[in-house]
Amino acid sequence: MTDGGMSGGIGFAAALAAWDAAAPAPARACGLKVADLLRGFHPDHRPGGMVQLVAGPNEGAPCPAQLAALLQSDSLLEDVDLAGATILDADVLVLGGGGAGCVAALAAARAGARVLMATKLRMGDGNTVMAEGGIQAAIGAEDSLQRHFEDTLRAGHFAADKALVAALVGDGPDAIRWLVREGMSFDLADERQRMGGALLRKKPGGATAARLLSYRDFTGLELMRALREAVLLQPGISVLDGHPALELLTDDRGRCGGAALQDLGQRRLVLARAGATIMATGGAGRLHLAGFPTSNHYGATADGLVLAYRAGARLREMDSFQFHPTGIAWPPHLEGTLISEAARSAGARLVNGRGERFVEELAPRDVVASAMLRELAEGRGVGRDGKLGLFLDTPSLEREQPGILAQRLQTLSHLAHRAGFDPAREPFLVRPTLHYQNGGMAIDTDGRSALPGLLAAGEVTGGLHGRNRMMGNALLELVVFGRRAGASAAADARQERPRNLGLNHLAGWRRGLLAAGLGLEAKGPLLFPPYGNVTPQDLRRHAA
Amino acid sequence: MSETEPAGTPLRLVFDGHALQARPGVSLLQAWIAAGLPLTENVGCMGQGVCGACRVLVRRPGERIAGTALACEMPAEEGMQVSFIDHFPARRPHAYDLSALTDSWSIPDQIDAVFPEAKHCRHCSGCDRACPKGIPVQRMVNLAAEGQVFAAAELFDACVMCNLCVAACPEHIDPAHLGQFTRRMHAALTLRPADLMQRLRQIEAGEQPIDLDAPGASPPVQT
Amino acid sequence: MKVLTDPALCVGADLAAWMARGGGEGLSRALAEPASIIPVLEAAGLRGLGGAGFPTHRKWSAVAAQPGPERWIICNGNEDEPGTFKDRFLLAETPHQVIEGALIAAVATGAAQVVLYVNPREAAGVLACHAAVAAWQAHPLAAAVSAAIGQALCLRVVESSGHYIGGEETGAVSSVMGGFPFPRLKPPFPFEQGVNDRPTLINNVETLAHVAHILRHGAAWYRALGLGDAAGTKLYSLSGDVLRPGLHELPMGTPLRELVFVHGGGMLAGKAFKAVFTGGPSNTLLTGADLDVALDFESVRARGSRLGTGAMIVVGEGTSILRKTAEYVAFFAANSCGQCPPCKIGTHQVSRILERLDTGAGRIGDLEALENLSHMLPGSGRCGLVDGAATVLASSLETFRAEYEAALPRG
């Protein structure tokens, strides 16, 4: 897997010597306008990377080729497959067991719904648990909801839905209180003042105020631990691990009424029927768009987008992905693994093979990543064992703030240990890694999609981040919209129930594919990345 | 997932009954994948070591007693024998309602009521040995049983929910869940940041309006 | 011929009745000629009947040869494994022959601390032992034992914690010392460092019960009780798909076929014989091809299995080997003490896989995973619990693979 157009860079030993001689690294002017930098070097803009969708609600919209192939694929199921399938009934079906799915399930159950949560892997496994940096909420005296609102819009290049962003930032402080009530801890400015003190706030890239709340550098883990227990103990939620959705169920009027799940353990189909269905399946990093490594969880294969799109839900900004600046470039066995933005927030610099700083490290992620890709493309990267990257200068950070690596950047130190070096003495070799799907299912402020009966929350949705997400808005989004979608779903489930449930949407979908000249050979969703060595067809195979 | 590695002598190991070869430096999980074996469970964050999904039992050549590890973190070694371990959910939930826990004077009673097994710890240290993160699990259990909730909570800071201690505990104490109980109680009962409470008051009083049409909410006019 | 289970000897805690039926004779001979005790046991060929089959005289000699005045004897009556129900019978029905054997051991090894270590879940045995021990305290023979070893005899009952693992030698030592019965690594062996780190002789109830008879009737008499090269009688705990399950005292070396089809009355409902789980049930299964095997330590070992406690759980056509194996591994998983994660977690993992196979939820790759575990788990514990679980798993998987394969998902 290689991304084209990169030269060999500067050898590791020479680059290390240049870094050592120049530290702390002097800055070199960028010399390019932000717009030109993004156009020239951001992977979203690489020539030939996007194709136009030719079928479905977003016909004519640009989309990465790999994702388009999945979005415009045919179902794995036929009507006859539903015969004899096990049937489960619930008020609300939640697809996905990451942060958004757990919050939505809790909200729906507490609103009185009987909830069924189906997950592909295990409840709690997802990108949420891997989130390191933190969660944004405008709680500082100098900060305001308005500033959070404008920062989010600006970072997203004003492509976001203002009403959604207002809902996101407006619910922010209450989301933090909700998390504390669920038993999640946060770092304090002074750990002795648990009551009446102040939360520790950091400034995320692209923000005008210190607004990032965190729990050490494993905020997502702390959040997910509390949510996992909450879901396990919440009466009214049943969890089905190992049950990925293969298709949404629709009724004869097009309303979504649940999903067909594949029971991976018993290799059988389960029809989960529900008054409302919440899509919380997360992102698409494991598609390795443009050949990039990814920081994402194993299950991030865009399944929810594929199912929702096929059933008639509209998507937005499907051509916009976030590349996190600091994925590990070397050693190979950790390639793509994330080094939290907390390192740069704390003051760690990015340094090229010549020992120069080349970007303001706390600029928005798309800008930093593009600047890094430019360095790599123009031969100023650092080459080591065939891997190309740039230095993240942890030794200078430790020198300037002694003890910071051990105390505040534990995950980073742990990763360095596993990579076999001391981050206080040797810089990390990093390069951008595919991190987040900026776009997704279009929703309203209640979490409803355009398809009746189908709601969504979390990374699978679009409209909140425009064309670039700010650090700390993903965790916030999953709490805010998980709660909103859960409550809406519980209310919707009390409405009229779907009738004549089945795969009613597939006939029209297939006609559309054929009309667009696409054929029905390609099947989706993917479920597992290719190196999982198993296809959905393998999983569906039964005895003759 | 890159294929431009400098080739070393391949390592040989046995993983769930499959004899396979692996390049030096890869994790056990990467070795499984590279061998073309199907992976539909026991996998999650793939290297970050935070999700606890890829539990394995590992025995190195010459070792008598196998150890536990996370497959995404453990490098493959020559002659290893490896077995995936299923996720072991607790047998019965230790049920409690965090929001109903308002009387902090009753913490010791609450712990005893929800986790009555905790005081039966037989001090076998199996949980300590099973923890891939090196948490002193048994000490946490004992502290929690004595009502020293915050000390217990702190010890469980590095837990990744692999539940190996739950599988390892012969008294069904479910240490991972007890640890989370203490952590959640700690936060829910004592974390009351003034800045957050102040902002919530302002919002509830309508003092934090959001203007959708403010100048900063639209692209700056290009000149 | 019934020796241990002779109805005439089943006098419970009544010491006078025991003495009236020849009790005390063995102990008197031992007291008269202490130096001959161990040679007589050696000549008799008495072996440990708790499962290991270790020559009894060697254990006794080892303890006798240790320095220092403080020595212990533990009469191990913790019996708790599935399918074994012999010791509880002896302790409840005829405790005095066990105690007399233990006192002879005290004389032979110079141990003043004698403990009847009993399973509290066997209430009848516990009551009988307490009463029997009380009766011995004032008996002249007890005083004679004190005199012979030059220390005051301390004979008492200690109730175990009831955990299966408390039957393991080092677990029993820990339990007698008041701790949880955690097994520990050996060496040091209990004969060197047992209770209070002092030399400790640990013998199974059935083993000690034979001793008084051997001393009374002589080594030749005892040897002649067995068939072929085997000596004495054996209590076989017969259970499973036979017509007459129960405790059968038969000559050591009785053929399996005779045990099942003569003494056991044959297979239940005329079903074909399929296999036997032996003593533990932590050993390699015996199958139809083994029906001719003589049930003694050497002969069974020659078939690649072990006699174990003498428990024979018979499985007939129609009974699932997979189901039975799942039950036994679940027993081991539940009773693993927790000290060694590969034992606790490994047996749990095996148990889970067996359970899902048995309930129709098996997965592709489960058999390979089971085989892998059966290879990597042995040796992974301080005691032999995990080895036993791995052995019975490996054996059932090898011999009855078709049953396992039938439980796999097709496709």
Side-chain angles (χ1 to χ4, degrees):
Chain A
M1 199 174 302
T2 52
D3 33 329
M6 300 227 173
S7 75
I10 297 163
F12 179 68
L16 206 57
W19 160 77
D20 199 32
R28 190 198 77 221
C30 172
L32 276 180
K33 283 185 186 164
V34 165
D36 293 332
L37 182 66
L38 293 178
R39 223 180 345 265
F41 298 98
H42 196 281
D44 285 354
H45 299 290
R46 73 192 190 287
M50 297 292 162
V51 297
Q52 277 198 348
L53 293 169
V54 295
N58 288 61
E59 190 180 328
C63 177
Q66 286 155 283
L67 181 56
L70 280 173
L71 289 178
Q72 299 178 135
S73 65
D74 185 28
S75 175
L76 291 155
L77 297 180
E78 300 285 351
D79 244 358
V80 292
D81 295 321
L82 305 196
T86 309
I87 289 177
L88 296 173
D89 281 304
D91 295 328
V92 173
L93 171 68
V94 178
L95 299 176
C102 286
V103 175
L106 286 169
R110 287 171 189 171
R114 287 174 306 135
V115 178
L116 186 64
M117 175 192 278
T119 74
K120 182 162 60 181
L121 293 162
R122 187 182 61 144
M123 190 265 285
D125 293 345
N127 284 339
T128 304
V129 76
M130 301 167 72
E132 299 177 349
I135 177 167
Q136 285 203 48
I139 59 159
E142 81 289 2
D143 198 3
S144 67
L145 300 185
Q146 184 72 26
R147 282 174 79 162
H148 189 181
F149 175 69
E150 293 179 12
D151 287 352
T152 300
L153 287 172
R154 192 176 54 254
H157 305 284
F158 300 98
D161 178 323
K162 286 183 182 178
L164 292 181
V165 177
L168 175 77
V169 306
D171 284 3
D174 189 48
I176 304 301
R177 175 168 60 187
W178 187 86
L179 287 171
V180 171
R181 284 180 171 154
E182 295 304 322
M184 177 181 172
S185 280
F186 287 91
D187 289 329
L188 292 165
D190 178 348
E191 286 298 332
R192 292 166 303 182
Q193 298 197 36
R194 295 190 66 81
M195 289 205 183
L199 291 167
L200 178 69
R201 290 185 283 126
K202 287 177 269 193
K203 196 165 160 178
T208 60
R211 189 184 299 134
L212 190 73
L213 313 178
S214 57
Y215 185 74
R216 309 193 196 284
D217 64 351
F218 43 90
T219 312
L221 172 60
E222 172 67 4
L223 184 150
M224 209 60 237
R225 287 192 295 217
L227 289 183
R228 255 183 75 87
E229 295 297 304
V231 169
L232 285 172
L233 295 174
Q234 176 67 45
I237 301 179
S238 306
V239 179
L240 289 176
D241 286 337
H243 281 69
L246 298 186
E247 196 58 64
L248 291 175
L249 298 175
T250 47
D251 77 357
D252 50 14
R253 288 164 304 176
R255 182 185 167 91
C256 177
L261 313 171
Q262 177 70 13
D263 176 345
L264 295 180
Q266 305 232 36
R267 293 191 160 212
R268 60 176 187 178
L269 204 62
V270 174
L271 302 186
R273 304 189 299 198
T277 302
I278 301 175
M279 193 65 85
T281 49
R286 289 282 158 191
L287 300 185
H288 296 283
L289 301 176
F292 272 82
T294 183
S295 60
N296 279 193
H297 177 265
Y298 181 70
T301 51
D303 303 348
L305 292 180
V306 172
L307 300 188
Y309 189 66
R310 187 181 285 167
R314 197 176 63 81
L315 312 180
R316 51 180 296 171
E317 283 96 39
M318 282 324 303
D319 57 338
S320 175
F321 287 80
Q322 183 167 79
F323 292 78
H324 192 291
T326 52
I328 290 178
W330 182 96
H333 71 273
L334 292 175
E335 189 177 7
T337 305
L338 207 63
I339 296 175
S340 165
E341 188 165 325
R344 280 175 294 132
S345 284
R349 298 178 196 89
L350 289 166
V351 177
N352 68 18
R354 295 181 187 167
E356 303 164 330
R357 272 180 84 188
F358 52 88
V359 69
E360 168 55 50
E361 284 82 0
L362 291 178
R365 283 178 174 171
D366 55 348
V367 175
V368 179
S370 299
M372 292 173 75
L373 291 169
R374 177 191 180 194
E375 295 303 297
L376 299 179
E378 294 179 355
R380 295 185 294 276
V382 181
R384 185 171 191 183
D385 300 343
K387 298 291 167 188
L388 201 57
L390 294 151
F391 286 137
L392 179 68
D393 190 357
T394 47
S396 295
L397 178 67
E398 178 70 14
R399 210 159 26 241
E400 286 152 16
Q401 301 177 51
I404 188 169
L405 294 179
Q407 286 154 25
R408 276 176 54 196
L409 299 171
Q410 292 170 2
T411 305
L412 180 151
S413 302
H414 178 64
L415 282 171
H417 174 74
R418 283 176 50 211
F421 67 88
D422 177 0
R425 303 175 56 135
E426 192 180 314
F428 263 102
L429 205 56
V430 297
R431 59 173 291 204
T433 182
L434 179 53
H435 187 55
Y436 194 82
Q437 162 187 299
N438 292 322
M441 290 171 65
I443 53 167
D444 66 14
T445 54
D446 294 320
R448 295 189 178 96
S449 77
L451 183 68
L454 183 65
L455 301 90
E459 188 172 349
V460 76
T461 67
L464 278 153
H465 310 295
R467 303 192 61 82
N468 178 52
R469 177 178 65 79
M470 286 180 91
M471 171 193 200
N473 271 350
L475 291 187
L476 180 60
E477 171 194 352
L478 70 88
V479 178
V480 169
F481 281 88
R483 290 173 72 192
R484 285 171 176 254
S488 307
D492 292 358
R494 296 189 195 99
Q495 314 287 320
E496 192 186 351
R497 284 303 174 99
R499 57 182 198 199
N500 298 331
L501 268 183
L503 304 175
N504 292 291
H505 58 290
L506 284 183
W509 173 249
R510 285 170 174 152
R511 283 185 205 107
L513 291 179
L514 293 170
L518 287 168
L520 303 177
E521 289 72 34
K523 305 286 184 188
L526 188 59
L527 300 190
F528 299 103
Y531 39 86
N533 305 313
V534 63
T535 66
Q537 289 87 341
D538 295 336
L539 298 170
R540 288 282 305 142
R541 208 155 286 146
H542 281 286
Chain B
M1 277 19 91
S2 200
E3 58 289 319
T4 54
E5 299 319 305
T9 313
L11 307 166
R12 287 158 303 170
L13 56 153
V14 178
F15 199 146
D16 262 5
H18 306 279
L20 47 97
Q21 297 201 328
R23 283 177 294 120
V26 303
S27 67
L28 289 174
L29 194 64
Q30 286 169 328
W32 174 275
I33 285 172
L37 295 165
L39 187 65
T40 61
E41 58 182 336
N42 301 314
V43 57
C45 68
M46 300 204 78
Q48 204 172 316
V50 294
C51 78
C54 55
R55 303 150 305 269
V56 284
L57 213 49
V58 180
R59 182 151 76 171
R60 294 181 175 82
E63 273 184 354
R64 202 174 67 85
I65 292 190
T68 49
L70 297 178
C72 77
E73 293 199 300
M74 175 66 70
E77 289 173 32
E78 176 66 28
M80 270 183 167
Q81 288 176 288
V82 191
S83 175
F84 272 127
I85 299 296
D86 286 358
H87 172 64
F88 283 82
R91 285 161 185 246
R92 48 182 176 273
H94 284 97
Y96 57 90
D97 178 0
L98 203 59
S99 64
L101 228 178
T102 49
D103 175 13
S104 36
W105 287 102
S106 69
I107 282 176
D109 305 320
Q110 294 287 346
I111 290 180
D112 198 33
V114 180
F115 287 88
E117 301 90 347
K119 59 181 180 291
H120 301 148
C121 172
R122 55 171 80 156
H123 299 89
C124 68
S125 301
C127 49
D128 295 351
R129 295 187 190 100
C131 180
K133 293 291 176 182
I135 296 173
V137 182
Q138 183 173 294
R139 182 159 164 69
M140 183 284 296
V141 169
N142 301 151
L143 286 172
E146 290 166 11
Q148 299 189 48
V149 177
F150 299 165
E154 202 160 313
L155 291 180
F156 248 57
D157 203 39
C159 172
V160 294
M161 309 175 293
C162 70
N163 269 25
L164 278 170
C165 58
V166 173
C169 180
E171 294 286 358
H172 309 300
I173 295 171
D174 295 350
H177 298 286
L178 174 58
Q180 289 315 315
F181 185 36
T182 62
R183 290 192 60 77
R184 298 180 73 205
M185 197 171 358
H186 186 200
L189 283 178
T190 71
L191 195 60
R192 296 290 181 272
D195 48 1
L196 173 62
M197 294 190 286
Q198 202 59 28
R199 180 53 42 88
L200 285 164
R201 273 162 59 93
Q202 291 170 350
I203 293 171
E204 280 148 23
E207 294 165 9
Q208 281 280 329
I210 298 171
D211 179 2
L212 268 57
D213 301 315
S218 298
V221 181
Q222 300 287 336
T223 50
Chain C
M1 171 176 178
K2 290 190 193 308
V3 179
L4 306 184
T5 58
D6 178 354
L9 298 184
C10 292
V11 296
D14 186 343
L15 185 56
W18 166 247
M19 291 296 174
R21 288 161 175 75
E25 268 185 46
L27 177 55
S28 299
R29 291 196 185 189
L31 285 164
E33 250 186 292
S36 72
I37 301 172
I38 293 175
V40 168
L41 292 188
E42 182 174 5
L46 179 64
R47 304 174 66 161
L49 300 172
F54 190 78
T56 305
H57 72 274
R58 284 174 55 193
K59 254 191 188 177
W60 290 30
S61 306
V63 174
Q66 292 290 313
E70 184 183 340
R71 290 133 196 261
W72 289 73
I73 290 170
I74 297 175
C75 171
N76 190 350
N78 191 59
E79 182 179 80
D80 194 43
E81 50 275 80
T84 304
F85 40 82
K86 61 189 183 65
D87 296 341
R88 69 197 66 182
F89 174 87
L90 296 176
L91 290 175
E93 301 295 330
T94 172
H96 290 300
Q97 62 181 336
V98 180
I99 293 172
E100 189 173 330
L103 295 180
I104 293 169
V107 173
T109 61
Q113 306 296 323
V114 179
V115 172
L116 282 191
Y117 177 67
V118 297
N119 191 327
R121 285 186 288 193
E122 297 303 329
V126 174
L127 286 173
C129 284
H130 277 293
V133 163
W136 272 95
Q137 304 296 345
H139 197 276
L141 275 174
V145 170
S146 294
I149 61 180
Q151 293 181 64
L153 173 72
C154 177
L155 172 67
R156 60 202 154 99
V157 178
V158 171
E159 292 181 29
S160 78
S161 62
H163 291 93
Y164 165 70
I165 205 68
E168 198 277 341
E169 287 196 343
T170 58
V173 165
S174 173
S175 194
V176 167
M177 288 169 69
F180 188 87
F182 287 128
R184 61 160 171 78
L185 282 173
K186 294 184 279 193
F189 291 93
F191 77 80
E192 318 163 88
Q193 290 179 31
V195 180
N196 298 339
D197 286 339
R198 304 300 178 191
T200 302
L201 174 72
I202 305 174
N203 273 143
N204 173 254
V205 161
E206 185 187 356
T207 313
L208 288 175
H210 280 293
V211 170
H213 299 285
I214 293 171
L215 268 287
R216 183 177 166 203
H217 298 293
W221 165 84
Y222 184 76
R223 275 206 168 276
L225 291 174
L227 298 178
D229 291 338
T233 61
K234 177 78 189 94
L235 296 181
Y236 296 103
S237 306
L238 182 65
S239 65
D241 299 334
V242 291
L243 199 58
R244 285 196 300 273
L247 192 61
H248 297 271
E249 183 178 9
L250 298 169
M252 180 70 99
T254 299
L256 176 59
R257 185 188 307 277
E258 184 185 330
L259 176 66
V260 172
F261 289 95
V262 177
H263 305 285
M267 297 301 291
L268 188 64
K271 299 268 189 184
F273 172 93
K274 197 151 108 179
V276 173
F277 288 90
T278 73
S282 51
N283 302 310
T284 299
L285 279 82
L286 299 174
T287 64
D290 300 311
L291 273 171
D292 59 324
V293 70
L295 294 176
D296 62 61
F297 290 109
E298 301 306 336
S299 306
V300 178
R301 188 185 293 265
R303 301 294 174 103
S305 184
R306 285 165 196 274
L307 180 63
T309 60
M312 298 288 146
I313 306 171
V314 180
V315 175
E317 174 195 352
T319 297
S320 161
I321 291 283
L322 173 56
R323 177 72 235 147
K324 301 306 277 184
T325 307
E327 282 172 16
Y328 301 143
V329 174
F331 170 83
F332 290 121
N335 285 282
S336 167
C337 78
Q339 290 187 105
C340 311
C343 169
K344 188 81 194 175
I345 297 174
T347 50
H348 263 315
Q349 178 69 15
V350 171
S351 181
R352 263 179 85 95
I353 298 176
L354 291 173
E355 202 62 47
R356 73 177 174 233
L357 283 167
D358 187 50
T359 53
R363 302 181 192 170
I364 306 280
D366 273 352
L367 300 198
E368 291 77 8
L370 284 176
E371 276 172 341
N372 195 48
L373 285 160
S374 77
H375 291 146
M376 71 181 285
L377 291 181
S380 233
R382 284 162 175 73
C383 72
L385 186 144
V386 72
D387 308 289
T391 302
V392 73
L393 167 69
S395 165
S396 72
L397 193 52
E398 188 191 332
T399 313
F400 294 94
R401 193 171 179 92
E403 281 194 32
Y404 281 81
E405 281 169 353
L408 283 174
R410 285 159 298 155

